[in-house]
Amino acid sequence: MFHRLPSSATSFELSLPAGLEDFGDEEPELHLPPQVLERLTTLDLECNWRDPAVLPQLKHCINVETLVIELSEVIIPELDEPAFFPQVRNLHLKYVAADSESQMLKFIKAPKMVNLEVRYRDSDDYVKKGLANPLLAFIKQSECETTLRSLCLRDVDARAREIVKILVGLPSLTSLKLQRVSSTEDSEDYLFEQLTTRDAKDATRRNLPSLEDLELVHFDPDEVPGLLGYLKSRRPYRFEGDGTTLRPMPSTGSNNLDAILYSNAPPNALEKASIRDGADTITCRISQLRSELEVLKNQLYKQKAAISAMRLMPAEVLGEIFELALDYVLDNKGTKELANIQLVCRQWRDAARITRRLWSSFMFLDKYDIPQLIQARDSFKTWFNRAGNSPKMFSYVASGHENCEAQDSKCKTVTRIFASLLTKGLSIDHLWLESRSLQCFLNFAGAVRLVGPWTEPLAIAYQHIPKGVTSFQLYLPDYNNAHSPAFDEVGIPDVCPPQDMLERLTSFSLLCDWPVSYPVLPSLRHCTNLETLIVDFYGQKDVEVDWYAGDVPWDDVGKIFKFGVLLPKLHTLRLRGVCDISVLTLFNTPRLVELDIGFFETYPRIEPQLFDTVQRFVKRRSKCEETLRCFRLRGWSGSDGKVVELANLFLELPSLTRITLDRVYQSEFAFSLLAAAKMEGKPCLPNLEVLELLHGFHARGMDYLFGFLKSRRPYRVHEGEVVFDGSPNSLKRLTVVYRRSREEHEFENSEVVQVLRRWCGVSVSLGPQT
């Protein structure tokens, strides 16, 4: 084991286990490799074995500078020569027993020792056997009388003359610490009184002449007068005149003993003296520990930061996190946030630089001055160069234009600057253009074509969209503004894209609050290659379609009325701003995978027939029950018993693997019905893998949810282990954002959550909405 220690290790702490009786009849053998001991500079050994074989091996510690030995109940082996430590400067001996102290001290020889600390065990044998001779003999044996500077004696109760004998025999000491040292002799015979008396007998030979630091801990209060007298004797003084002027004693012309001491001794070397009783010691220790705690906290923070999971996270994963944290399309604010991310550390900067998708989109806002736009134009190219081969998206938002028809308008100037990006080497895969007026769009189209003023109608304007466009977003203006009195003379413009363009599209996003009788939705019948359709009705209530008004051929009218608009390749349908869910009957999607319905929440709520409408759409009209996997519902209320519709809908859609309920209020009661149905043996979402309950789920219904989850795979706890009664659960991820109640709940520690996480491997995220 010791051979496996790293070669760079120079500090070693060895704490041997309890006594040999714990090992039975066999005595353990412990051998420390010499090569390991030779490179140590610090060694801390703790041992209470009565016959440790490890002690003789310490002779190999030829480079140890700090040695700490704690020997309790130890019989030191008889050695011809003591263990020689040529480099030891700091020696700490702990819990020295009276019956073995002389052997322990005989065991060690340290000629370069500077600091010595001896901590004794509580015993009356020190009084009987004496304390000074073994310690002074050890110092003499080590030949360190001239190098020893610091001495600390702890936990000893001995005769005062024994301690005095030690101090008198060590004239080289500069630091002395006595901790819990008391005298067992006559209460009127104190340590420092004896030192003062010895100094007075021979004024030319002062004891402890080099002492600079004196520290007394848990000091006997009765010793204080003697200590003060001793401190004064080291350099006497007196007050003269009115008793307010302090003068040293004269050096000549007096037979006063204090004057003789002063005149024949050098200035006092003592610089610091401190006395601490128990309370002061504790207070000082608390202050010291607090300071050390702050240092350790900083070290711990640095160590945790060095080994944190974030530092070990691959750059690709960090890049994915950055994508989720930032907007899909970065505007000026988003670019600053991305810049701040790169300033955190080098690892984050490198992760952001290699994540090409972070640099593949940009939103150009024309609210800046013309010179700023010209300066920013060059930075756009640098930005997109970091995207590499990733598909690039450029968004142009013309929000503040006025008088777009004027020849010198800002609109035409800005669009020329913007168009120059597209005509001078900047390759764009997805272009997002948003303008407030038709003329603004015409100005841009004319700038891109580098022609003069645009005079063509809107129907012809669509022809100038590149033939390679397969993703198109059409955001129509507000119906009330678009159909203002100004249109009375010219009529309502035809806003439908041409058929050949619709046939090319694979993704189409439409924002329209116009009544669907206008020919926007009927034109979707040409989208035969469409895979993703997003329609935002923005609260439009009129869902009756006049197909004849949309120039739909008579042969197609009957099919559309019966089957809806056929979108044969559509796999994602997102409806936003819905007031009446019957609008779902307009579509026929036989390959639908994801159905996303969001209700308009501003107007007074219209209670839709959720169950009947969605069921007919999935099972009868589209017949996509086998392909449908994801269902998202947003802004729907289950009040007035409508929650039963939600529960019945889930029972009728067993193919769902992902369910998201966002702001679906009172949905918690639906899980109570689902749990009851499951207990009755009905199949209930057998393929569900992801369940997300966001903003609207109430904390009071968490028990209903837990009951539903437990019903999917019943279990019981037996002797601390979970025993399941059913087949493995398909659930892989659970996310719940619940509304707080008056009572605080610890959902994280609930039994069902622990079972899902530990035994089922489900990712569970629970938290209150903010």
Side-chain angles (χ1 to χ4, degrees), residues 98 177 215 280 347 377 431 479 489 495 509 527 535 561 616 625-626 640 648 661 685 694 745:
K177 179 178 180 180
E215 184 176 1
D280 291 338
Q347 182 185 14
R377 179 177 54 186
L431 177 61
Y479 175 75
E489 299 179 1
V495 295
S509 179
C527 298
V535 182
F561 269 116
R616 286 197 304 268
E625 182 180 5
E626 295 183 358
D640 300 331
N648 290 336
L661 303 180
L685 299 173
L694 312 175
H745 300 277

Side-chain angles (χ1 to χ4, degrees), residues 46-294:
E46 178 183 352
C47 175
N48 65 352
W49 299 4
R50 287 192 172 275
D51 188 13
V54 69
L55 295 181
Q57 303 177 42
L58 299 184
K59 63 183 179 181
H60 300 292
C61 299
I62 58 176
N63 292 308
V64 168
E65 298 178 0
T66 300
L67 178 61
V68 182
I69 299 181
E70 179 179 332
L71 302 179
S72 178
E73 303 294 343
V74 174
I75 300 177
I76 307 298
E78 294 290 344
L79 300 175
D80 296 336
E81 294 291 337
F84 185 63
F85 299 95
Q87 301 298 332
V88 167
R89 297 174 56 85
N90 307 304
L91 178 61
H92 303 269
L93 302 177
K94 299 181 179 181
Y95 298 107
V96 177
D99 55 357
S100 62
E101 64 182 9
S102 59
Q103 295 183 25
M104 180 190 298
L105 296 175
K106 289 180 181 180
F107 172 76
I108 300 173
K109 182 177 181 180
K112 293 185 179 181
M113 182 168 54
V114 176
N115 304 311
L116 173 62
E117 179 179 347
V118 183
R119 183 175 184 179
Y120 294 91
R121 297 180 60 189
D122 293 335
S123 175
D124 295 334
D125 293 338
Y126 301 126
V127 181
K128 300 176 183 178
K129 298 185 177 182
L131 186 72
N133 291 334
L135 185 60
L136 293 175
F138 160 68
I139 295 174
K140 184 175 181 181
Q141 169 185 283
S142 295
E143 300 176 354
C144 61
E145 298 96 326
T146 58
T147 61
L148 187 63
R149 292 292 182 269
S150 175
L151 175 63
C152 176
L153 300 179
R154 299 179 58 184
D155 302 333
V156 59
D157 188 4
R159 293 184 176 91
R161 62 173 177 268
E162 291 291 324
I163 303 175
V164 170
K165 187 175 181 180
I166 294 174
L167 302 181
V168 170
L170 299 175
S172 62
L173 288 182
T174 60
S175 177
L176 174 63
K177 179 178 180 180
L178 302 178
Q179 183 171 345
R180 285 187 293 270
V181 174
S182 58
S183 174
T184 59
E185 291 189 89
D186 187 354
S187 59
E188 296 182 358
D189 191 7
Y190 300 111
L191 168 62
F192 288 99
E193 288 183 352
Q194 293 192 29
L195 283 176
T196 304
T197 302
R198 291 180 64 92
D199 286 348
K201 291 181 179 180
D202 187 356
T204 61
R205 184 178 180 182
R206 180 190 301 168
N207 298 306
L208 299 174
S210 303
L211 187 64
E212 299 175 357
D213 188 357
L214 175 62
E215 184 176 1
L216 307 175
V217 182
H218 292 286
F219 192 59
D220 187 355
D222 293 336
E223 283 270 15
V224 173
L227 171 64
L228 297 178
Y230 169 71
L231 296 176
K232 181 179 180 181
S233 69
R234 293 181 62 86
R235 193 176 190 189
Y237 62 87
R238 68 182 179 189
F239 288 94
E240 291 186 345
D242 58 359
T244 60
T245 303
L246 182 63
R247 301 288 187 186
M249 298 292 287
S251 59
T252 58
S254 174
N255 293 327
N256 183 280
L257 179 60
D258 290 342
I260 296 175
L261 288 174
Y262 177 76
S263 60
N264 290 280
N268 189 3
L270 191 64
E271 296 180 355
K272 178 183 178 182
S274 62
I275 307 174
R276 288 183 286 159
D277 58 15
D280 291 338
T281 302
I282 295 175
T283 303
C284 181
R285 184 59 175 162
I286 290 175
S287 177
Q288 181 181 2
L289 289 176
R290 284 176 177 171
S291 178
E292 295 176 359
L293 180 61
E294 291 300 321

Side-chain angles (χ1 to χ4, degrees), residues 171 176 184 269 473 598 622 668 674:
L176 174 63
T184 59
Q473 295 173 331
S622 297
E668 55 270 10
L674 292 175

Side-chain angles (χ1 to χ4, degrees), residues 706 709 715 717 720-722 724 734 746-766:
F706 289 162
L709 296 174
Y715 65 87
V717 180
E721 295 292 330
V722 175
F724 293 97
L734 172 66
E746 291 292 339
F747 298 125
E748 287 284 343
N749 299 325
S750 62
E751 180 184 285
V752 175
V753 172
Q754 298 303 320
V755 170
L756 289 175
R757 285 176 173 167
R758 181 176 179 183
W759 280 276
C760 300
V762 179
S763 174
V764 181
S765 299
L766 306 175

Side-chain angles (χ1 to χ4, degrees), residues 426-698:
L426 186 59
S427 176
I428 299 298
D429 299 273
H430 187 173
L431 177 61
W432 179 357
L433 176 63
E434 181 177 337
S435 57
R436 293 293 181 91
S437 66
L438 175 62
Q439 185 61 45
C440 186
F441 170 75
L442 298 179
N443 289 341
F444 166 75
V448 172
R449 296 182 65 226
L450 301 179
V451 297
W454 192 284
T455 59
E456 297 170 324
L458 180 59
I460 300 178
Y462 278 118
Q463 298 179 8
H464 298 282
I465 296 178
K467 299 297 182 180
V469 171
T470 59
S471 177
F472 186 62
Q473 295 173 331
L474 178 61
Y475 291 175
L476 298 179
D478 182 82
Y479 175 75
N480 295 326
N481 294 331
H483 299 78
S484 62
F487 282 95
D488 294 341
E489 299 179 1
V490 297
I492 301 174
D494 184 5
V495 295
C496 294
Q499 178 177 344
D500 60 338
M501 177 181 175
L502 293 174
E503 290 175 349
R504 295 192 303 265
L505 295 181
T506 59
S507 176
F508 186 26
S509 179
L510 173 65
L511 173 62
C512 175
D513 69 339
W514 299 13
V516 294
S517 58
Y518 289 101
V520 179
L521 286 179
S523 65
L524 294 179
R525 70 186 187 278
H526 302 300
C527 298
T528 55
N529 292 302
L530 200 63
E531 298 177 358
T532 300
L533 174 62
I534 303 174
V535 182
D536 192 339
F537 295 94
Y538 206 74
Q540 174 53 241
K541 301 176 184 179
D542 182 8
V543 296
E544 295 296 332
V545 179
D546 184 3
W547 299 105
Y548 304 100
D551 297 328
V552 182
W554 282 90
D555 295 339
D556 295 341
V557 170
K559 295 180 181 179
I560 293 176
F561 269 116
K562 184 176 181 180
F563 302 106
V565 178
L566 178 62
L567 302 172
K569 296 184 179 181
L570 194 74
H571 61 69
T572 300
L573 176 61
R574 295 192 177 99
L575 304 179
R576 296 285 185 268
V578 175
C579 276
D580 190 344
I581 199 173
S582 60
V583 73
L584 194 62
T585 61
L586 298 176
F587 307 99
N588 186 347
T589 57
R591 295 186 180 181
L592 190 65
V593 176
E594 179 180 348
L595 177 60
D596 189 342
I597 304 174
F599 288 92
F600 195 73
E601 299 181 1
T602 302
Y603 295 151
R605 188 173 308 283
I606 300 176
E607 295 294 344
Q609 297 296 326
L610 179 69
F611 171 71
D612 293 337
T613 305
V614 175
Q615 184 192 40
R616 286 197 304 268
F617 168 75
V618 174
K619 290 191 172 184
R620 299 179 185 178
R621 170 148 297 189
S622 297
K623 297 180 180 180
C624 60
E625 182 180 5
E626 295 183 358
T627 62
L628 188 63
R629 295 292 182 268
C630 303
F631 179 73
R632 179 185 178 97
L633 187 63
R634 175 173 178 167
W636 184 80
S637 174
S639 60
D640 300 331
K642 295 294 184 178
V643 69
V644 179
E645 292 191 17
L646 185 62
N648 290 336
L649 180 61
F650 291 152
L651 291 174
E652 292 294 326
L653 299 177
S655 63
L656 292 180
T657 61
R658 179 166 185 162
I659 295 177
T660 301
L661 303 180
D662 189 0
R663 292 181 174 84
V664 177
Y665 301 97
Q666 301 191 30
S667 60
E668 55 270 10
F669 298 108
F671 292 99
S672 176
L673 300 176
L674 292 175
K678 183 66 176 178
M679 297 300 293
E680 295 176 359
K682 297 180 181 179
C684 180
L685 299 173
N687 300 307
L688 184 63
E689 297 180 359
V690 178
L691 178 59
E692 297 175 316
L693 308 174
L694 312 175
H695 301 90
F697 192 87
H698 202 284

